[in-house]
Amino acid sequence: MRLSRLLPAFALLLGVLAMPGVPSAAEYGTAAEAAALLDRAIVEAKADFAAAIVKFNDPAGAFRDRDLYVFCASETDGKLIAHPALVGTDLRELKDKNGKPFGSEMFAAAREGTISEVTYMWPRPGGTEPVDKVSRITR
């Protein structure tokens, strides 16, 4: 399926907010940095959606910053089309370690022109231990 047929898709940013007791705050992205990354992702997606998806999926690209990254899911089938490790996975089926259906919550929360937040437990990129995370979501 051509990416242009996926519009509109959800532009979603996953970002861990600084948590108390973290050994090195500079090691992780902040809420302000997550918001700025989402703003840049929205601009990219509106300018050229297909090119934006390529950029979002680039592991060394400008849309990956420590534990912050952009991910997108198709509005039609819920499948992730941009993500560091889960492209092709149905976002709506994702649950955290406590069984919270955060993926379906994200899918339902995505609204054009509005930024919502969803909290859940999920490993940081490259990690296995789930941590408290907050995703900023828009459509």
Side-chain angles (χ1 to χ4, degrees), residues 22-88:
V22 172
S24 171
E27 189 177 346
Y28 307 114
T30 66
E33 291 166 331
L37 188 58
L38 179 57
D39 290 344
R40 287 190 310 121
I42 292 167
V43 169
E44 286 286 331
K46 286 181 179 180
D48 185 339
F49 186 73
I53 295 302
V54 171
K55 290 176 184 179
F56 299 161
N57 280 317
D58 180 355
F63 291 94
R64 306 272 177 99
D65 179 14
R66 295 161 292 171
D67 59 342
L68 302 177
Y69 57 89
V70 173
F71 61 94
C72 296
S74 167
E75 179 182 39
T76 57
D77 64 9
K79 291 194 177 169
L80 289 162
I81 56 175
H83 191 279
L86 299 176
V87 170

Side-chain angles (χ1 to χ4, degrees), residues 5 31 36 38 41 52 54 58 87-88 93 97 99 113 115 120-121 123 129:
R5 298 195 67 196
L38 179 57
V54 171
D58 180 355
V87 170
E93 295 177 3
K97 76 170 196 168
I115 307 292
Y120 55 101
M121 299 287 292
E129 186 63 31

